[in-house]
Amino acid sequence: MIAAPFILDFDRGGAETWVPIIVGAVILLQNLMTNWEVGVFRAMSANMHLNMDYLIGIFLAASPWIFNFDEYVYLPHLIVGIVILLQAMMTRVVPEHGAVTNAGPANARHPYRGSSMNHGHTH
């Protein structure tokens, strides 16, 4: 995102240039601040991150018309905005199968202990 205006040659110094740079910087900061694998500061919940992704995607996709540069360039902003929206829609905050944790009932069977693994032998 940050390099797109220069790589795709639409850097005129206006909103068409600065919107992707600022959005790219916000996305980087957002990932550093979210409480998940790549988060460094972990100050933001995954739900908050996804809500921001929706807003960022809508803003980026609409930015050529909001800032009136659509006659110069609009496809990179529109396409990446839609991709961000789709990614947010497909992201699950809670695993479908449930998270593996150390918490559980005290009498839960260990997978390598108990009658199913000793094949009739006692130790």
Side-chain angles (χ1 to χ4, degrees), residues 1-121:
M1 286 289 315
I2 295 171
F6 311 104
I7 293 171
L8 300 175
D9 196 31
F10 61 83
D11 58 324
R12 293 192 310 186
E16 74 286 336
T17 304
W18 286 103
V19 166
I21 291 172
I22 292 168
V23 166
V26 167
I27 290 171
L28 281 173
L29 288 172
Q30 182 183 359
N31 279 299
L32 289 172
M33 295 177 67
T34 302
N35 187 13
W36 57 25
E37 293 87 8
V38 297
V40 175
F41 304 109
R42 298 179 186 240
M44 181 186 309
S45 72
N47 283 327
M48 174 67 91
H49 181 109
L50 287 177
N51 288 332
M52 286 183 64
D53 280 350
Y54 285 113
L55 294 174
I56 289 168
I58 291 167
F59 172 74
L60 186 60
S63 67
W65 295 274
I66 293 171
F67 296 107
N68 202 26
F69 59 82
D70 58 296
E71 291 186 17
Y72 175 65
V73 64
Y74 71 92
L75 274 178
H77 302 76
L78 180 63
I79 291 170
V80 174
I82 290 170
V83 167
I84 290 171
L85 279 170
L86 291 173
Q87 169 266 319
M89 284 189 250
M90 292 187 281
T91 300
R92 294 180 188 265
V93 177
V94 177
E96 187 174 296
H97 54 77
V100 176
T101 65
N102 289 331
N107 60 357
R109 291 179 44 190
H110 188 279
Y112 300 109
R113 291 185 211 142
S115 62
S116 65
M117 293 301 288
N118 67 14
H119 306 288
H121 301 125

